[in-house]
Amino acid sequence: MEYIVDAKEMQRADENTIQYFGVPQLVLMERAALAARDAILRKWPEIFSESARILVAAGNGNNGGDGAALARLFFLMGHDVTVIVSGQEERYSPAMRKQMEILGKYKTRSGRNLRVIVDEEWEREACRDMENYDLAIDALFGIGLSREISGIYRKKIEWLNQLSGKKAALDIPSGVSAQDGSVLGCAFRADLTVTFGFLKRGMLLYPGREICGERETADIGITAESFLGEYPAGTTLDRKTDDTVKAFFSRSRNSHKGSFGKVLLMAGSAGTPGAALLAGEAVLRSGAGMLQIVSPPENREIMITRLPEAMYQELSEDTDWEKLLGWCDAVVAGPGIGQGGLASRSMEKILTLMSDDCLQKPLVLDADGLNLVASSERLSGLIKAYTAQGGIVVMTPHMAEFTRLLHCSIKELQAGRPEKMEQYVRESGVILVGKDAATVVGYAEEGAFLYYINQTGNSGMATAGSGDVLSGIMGALTALTAVRQKAGERKGTGAAEKEAYFQAASVAVYLHGLAGDMAAEKYGEVSMKAGDLMRELPKLLKGCMS
């Protein structure tokens, strides 16, 4: 997995690289400019086939210094460069001041194609060239911005957004919060964002994620060693890091059904078996060795016909949950079960029985399972008691389900989603999978809140049944993790054990989104349905293992 950083974590890594390791700041800045130049050349080679007109909007801090260095590099390539510098010279950061001194010397000697415009000249000089820039580069603000943009800076960003050429941002688009992706008054809308060292959290959360355009992370010499052992709280996966998935699914030839986990799935209501079928097939397609579905008797015939690989048990007041819990490695409860009395009583029996150490099993709660917990103090209390004694509970709410758990509005949740996630996992002890356009998985352990932000998936997955498929994938990977914990392949209790289940949940979300991306490529985002994700899972996992 790759690290994600917030503003403070990145600033600490930057400072450690300079102060502890002794890498000069100007060296880092030069590497940032070189990396940005190369990324832009790869992205838009057609712009540079002949002399290009390039505009760089630079602030007075280190982000502006990156921009000034990049302007120099493009100028030395023979391009026509205009630099708009914001703020008073006496307020320049030391590195920005040095970069402007260097730029000034080049301008003095051969400045015909290099213009530097300060605030006082901007409206008079620059606005006449609205349609004439091939590329506009935003280097106004860095990741430290935390206040709303106003005044001349707001005017500049609004003007930059109206330019007709391509647009690139350095580190993060100005106006996007590095903390949560929110827009601080206004924001530069980039086609490409070249970020330095590590992805910033706000670049992966909406609306910042969309404003960034295509994202590229550049190695400028700030590495994991720069954290000096105090690592960031956030991680992510992308298509370049499939080795994580390959390691997760690695198999010994000397294996049997029990080696890959037995999943108990309580799903489906009387006469509505769709959620159970989708989740059940996803369990088996995701590598589980055995599956037992508990569903109302009305669903028996279609279950054994459509999914003969699974075992079937009738859901009733007499269901032998103790026996079923003794058999399985992980439980998935909730898809399509409804919120009636039998479903609620069955949930209570499961949670009560699992408080016995001999029957303690990881539990994945989805859909109606979450709604039952949200509406019942008794069930909510059982969840907290179970996690307090070391039990693993994975909850997978979409935003509406999460508001029911929190007893708040969508607007309140959107205003502080990361903070509300952290608060809930600290209070409940669960691993929370907050499903959204940018799904976030989080858990709290030993005072720290750790999280994963997903980068796969698309709007075509906003369709009925998609969450049931995720429940099945999650159940299979949770069961596999339980088997490995039991066998000692991944030793650890407490924090290490919870981390293993957190990673399983993160990989499940990643695979679910990647299957959705493959389905979208084949069917289009408008026409795809949940079953299309299932059809892509075998090809996806085969590709990850090759």
Side-chain angles (χ1 to χ4, degrees):
M1 290 195 180
E2 301 175 24
Y3 288 119
I4 305 168
V5 295
D6 62 19
K8 288 183 179 178
E9 289 167 336
M10 189 64 213
Q11 287 162 352
R12 178 164 49 84
D14 186 61
E15 185 176 343
N16 288 342
T17 304
I18 296 166
Q19 300 297 331
Y20 181 84
F21 289 107
V23 180
Q25 187 173 52
L26 287 171
V27 170
L28 296 176
M29 192 168 279
E30 196 71 13
R31 290 191 65 174
L34 286 164
R37 180 200 64 182
D38 292 347
I40 290 168
L41 290 173
R42 285 193 300 272
K43 175 69 173 173
W44 297 299
E46 69 278 5
I47 293 178
F48 303 97
S49 58
E50 51 189 55
S51 181
R53 296 201 68 221
I54 299 170
L55 173 70
V56 178
N60 56 21
N62 289 339
N63 193 244
D66 294 336
L70 180 57
R72 166 171 45 85
L73 294 176
F74 278 128
F75 166 70
L76 292 174
M77 289 176 64
H79 300 295
D80 187 350
V81 178
T82 298
V83 182
I84 300 175
V85 187
S86 295
Q88 301 300 315
E89 186 174 345
E90 59 268 21
R91 299 187 65 183
Y92 289 171
S93 71
M96 172 59 175
R97 181 174 291 108
K98 185 64 178 177
Q99 291 294 350
M100 290 304 296
E101 287 175 8
I102 296 170
L103 198 63
K105 290 178 180 178
Y106 277 101
K107 184 178 185 302
T108 299
R109 291 189 62 84
S110 54
R112 187 173 57 185
N113 296 325
L114 177 61
R115 293 188 299 165
V116 177
I117 298 173
V118 296
D119 283 342
E120 292 76 16
E121 304 171 279
W122 170 63
E123 287 184 303
R124 183 177 70 253
E125 295 288 336
C127 289
R128 291 196 296 240
D129 296 328
M130 285 283 289
E131 305 299 325
N132 295 329
Y133 292 107
D134 301 301
L135 171 67
I137 298 168
D138 163 35
L140 284 169
F141 295 103
I143 60 173
L145 184 69
S146 58
R147 67 185 186 280
E148 286 212 351
I149 295 173
S150 60
I152 193 169
Y153 289 103
R154 184 172 188 129
K155 285 183 69 175
K156 281 186 179 179
I157 289 173
E158 290 172 347
W159 174 74
L160 289 167
N161 283 337
Q162 293 178 57
L163 297 179
S164 59
K166 306 297 184 183
K167 298 179 179 65
L170 301 187
D171 214 15
I172 194 167
S174 292
V176 172
S177 167
Q179 298 302 101
D180 59 13
S182 61
V183 174
L184 300 168
C186 68
F188 178 81
R189 301 194 70 88
D191 302 305
L192 170 69
T193 298
V194 184
T195 196
F196 307 128
F198 303 92
L199 283 167
K200 314 309 183 287
R201 183 166 73 185
M203 298 175 67
L204 297 184
L205 298 172
Y206 287 95
R209 182 163 166 169
E210 185 174 14
I211 293 168
C212 286
E214 182 181 328
R215 306 178 301 273
E216 182 163 332
T217 306
D219 176 10
I220 65 169
I222 301 175
T223 65
E225 285 79 7
S226 298
F227 296 114
L228 301 181
E230 191 179 342
Y231 296 108
T235 53
T236 189
L237 281 166
D238 62 26
R239 293 191 186 211
K240 299 174 185 176
T241 50
D242 281 346
D243 284 348
T244 301
V245 178
K246 187 172 184 177
F248 197 93
F249 285 100
S250 61
R251 292 186 167 204
S252 167
R253 289 185 177 273
N254 184 27
S255 302
H256 53 82
K257 289 180 289 187
S259 303
F260 308 120
K262 294 175 284 187
V263 177
L264 179 64
L265 170 64
M266 181 172 76
S269 301
T272 54
L277 289 169
L278 284 167
E281 186 172 355
V283 167
L284 294 172
R285 289 295 190 188
S286 302
M290 300 177 75
L291 168 65
Q292 194 155 187
I293 301 176
V294 184
S295 197
E298 292 87 345
N299 297 338
R300 177 183 177 84
E301 185 174 347
I302 194 168
M303 291 287 181
I304 61 178
T305 303
R306 291 276 301 276
L307 207 58
E309 300 90 346
M311 294 176 282
Y312 173 81
Q313 291 287 330
E314 289 187 2
L315 177 65
S316 71
E317 299 288 0
D318 299 322
T319 299
D320 191 344
W321 290 109
E322 185 172 357
K323 181 179 178 181
L324 291 171
L325 289 170
W327 169 83
C328 72
D329 296 301
V331 181
V332 179
I337 63 174
Q339 299 177 58
L342 178 57
S344 180
R345 289 189 294 274
S346 298
M347 282 281 297
E348 183 170 345
K349 287 179 184 176
I350 291 170
L351 287 166
T352 302
L353 285 167
M354 288 198 308
S355 64
D356 184 332
D357 287 345
C358 296
L359 295 176
Q360 191 176 96
K361 302 294 168 68
L363 170 66
V364 177
L365 278 180
D366 184 39
D368 285 323
L370 297 168
N371 292 328
L372 286 168
V373 171
S375 61
S376 168
E377 290 186 12
R378 168 68 175 160
L379 291 177
S380 181
L382 286 171
I383 293 285
K384 291 179 182 179
Y386 185 56
T387 58
Q389 69 181 60
I392 299 294
V393 176
V394 182
M395 288 184 166
T396 62
H398 55 58
M399 292 299 98
E401 289 164 344
F402 195 22
T403 61
R404 292 176 204 130
L405 289 167
L406 292 172
H407 305 292
C408 72
S409 67
I410 285 282
K411 186 176 181 180
E412 289 171 326
L413 177 56
Q414 289 174 336
R417 183 185 173 204
E419 294 78 13
K420 284 182 167 55
M421 279 193 69
E422 179 173 355
Q423 179 184 352
Y424 188 79
V425 298
R426 287 187 184 280
E427 291 175 355
S428 65
V430 306
I431 297 169
L432 189 69
V433 180
K435 296 185 294 192
D436 199 16
T439 293
V440 180
V441 185
Y443 80 107
E445 190 60 53
E446 296 181 350
F449 174 67
L450 304 175
Y451 63 92
Y452 163 90
I453 302 180
N454 195 49
Q455 296 191 67
T456 59
N458 58 81
S459 67
M461 298 172 70
T463 185
S466 180
D468 302 320
V469 176
L470 177 59
S471 293
I473 300 171
M474 195 81 65
L477 272 60
T478 300
L480 178 60
T481 301
V483 170
R484 289 177 172 173
Q485 291 284 333
K486 195 185 304 181
E489 291 181 34
R490 297 187 179 182
K491 294 180 180 179
T493 57
E497 182 182 19
K498 199 168 188 179
E499 182 185 6
Y501 286 105
F502 163 73
Q503 289 179 350
S506 301
V507 170
V509 169
Y510 167 79
L511 290 173
H512 180 247
L514 196 51
D517 289 338
M518 292 172 67
E521 289 175 11
K522 190 170 183 179
Y523 304 102
E525 293 184 24
V526 174
S527 296
M528 61 187 278
K529 57 188 181 69
D532 297 330
L533 276 66
M534 204 85 65
R535 278 185 276 278
E536 299 306 315
L537 265 176
K539 287 179 280 185
L540 166 59
L541 291 175
K542 183 180 179 181
C544 289
M545 296 306 294
S546 61

